[in-house]
Amino acid sequence: TTAPTPTSTVFLEKFKFIADDFFLFYTIIIFLGNMKLFNYLTRKIQTFKPLKKGRVGLYTCGPTVYNFAHIGNLRTYIFEDLLRRALELAGLKVKLVMNITDVEDKIIRDSKKAGKNIFEFTKPYEKAFFGYLKLLNIKPAFGHPRATAHTK
C-alpha cells in the first residue's frame, strides 16, 4: 500500500479550502482579546479565558490509522494548528497533545485480513500521516498518546 502523492493534481486541488481556514485564523487573531467559544457543557457562548494565566492546554483528536489520511481528515489538523498559532500569537504558552487511535474495530478487522498484527498494520499509515503534517507545516504536538498504551 502506498500513500497518495502530495504533489498530485487531485491532492493539490482539494487544498483550495485552506483559504477559508486562513480567513478563520485571522478572524481569531483579530478577536482573540475577546474570543467567544461555545461551551458544550453549559450550552452557552462564553468569553475564552485560560484556566491558568498565560497557558492553554489543547487535547486534540488525531488520526485513526487504519488507512491513509484524506483531505477531510487533514482539514481538522490544519484548523487545530491555526488555533494553536493564534493562541501563541496572543502571547499564550500552548501545550498541544494529539492522540493516535491505533486500535479499533476497522484496524482489528483489516489487520487480520492482511495477516499482520495491529502494530505492523498501522505503522505505514501513521508514518504517512506525520509526513502529511510535515508537508503542511503543522507544528508538532507535545505528545501523541496511543490508544494501545491505555488499553489492556
Side-chain angles (χ1 to χ4, degrees), residues 6 20 28 42 53 68 99 103 108 114 117 119-120 127 129 131-132 151:
D20 295 337
I28 289 170
T42 63
K53 187 174 181 162
F68 294 109
N99 73 338
V103 63
I108 294 167
N117 67 44
F119 302 105
E120 295 168 325
K127 183 179 178 185
F129 173 76
Y132 291 147
T151 57

Side-chain angles (χ1 to χ4, degrees), residues 13-88:
E13 283 178 2
K14 291 184 178 182
F15 273 95
K16 290 179 183 174
F17 71 83
I18 292 176
D20 295 337
D21 286 331
F22 283 121
F23 174 75
L24 176 62
F25 176 62
Y26 289 112
T27 303
I28 289 170
I29 292 171
I30 291 167
F31 294 106
L32 198 53
N34 196 21
M35 182 193 293
K36 295 189 183 295
L37 299 171
F38 183 77
N39 182 332
Y40 282 89
L41 185 62
T42 63
R43 301 277 205 205
K44 295 178 182 174
I45 295 174
Q46 295 176 269
T47 300
F48 173 74
K49 183 179 176 189
L51 295 174
K52 292 182 181 177
K53 187 174 181 162
R55 298 173 143 343
V56 176
L58 292 175
Y59 187 90
T60 63
C61 291
T64 301
V65 286
Y66 66 92
N67 205 335
F68 294 109
H70 58 72
I71 200 68
N73 302 134
L74 296 171
R75 187 172 199 267
T76 299
Y77 312 118
I78 291 168
F79 173 77
E80 293 167 358
D81 186 61
L82 293 174
L83 177 60
R84 174 190 186 171
R85 289 172 190 259
L87 293 167
E88 288 173 343

Side-chain angles (χ1 to χ4, degrees), residues 107-123:
I107 292 172
I108 294 167
R109 178 196 66 206
D110 293 350
S111 66
K112 283 181 181 177
K113 260 192 226 176
K116 298 178 179 180
N117 67 44
I118 61 171
F119 302 105
E120 295 168 325
F121 179 77
T122 58
K123 189 175 182 178

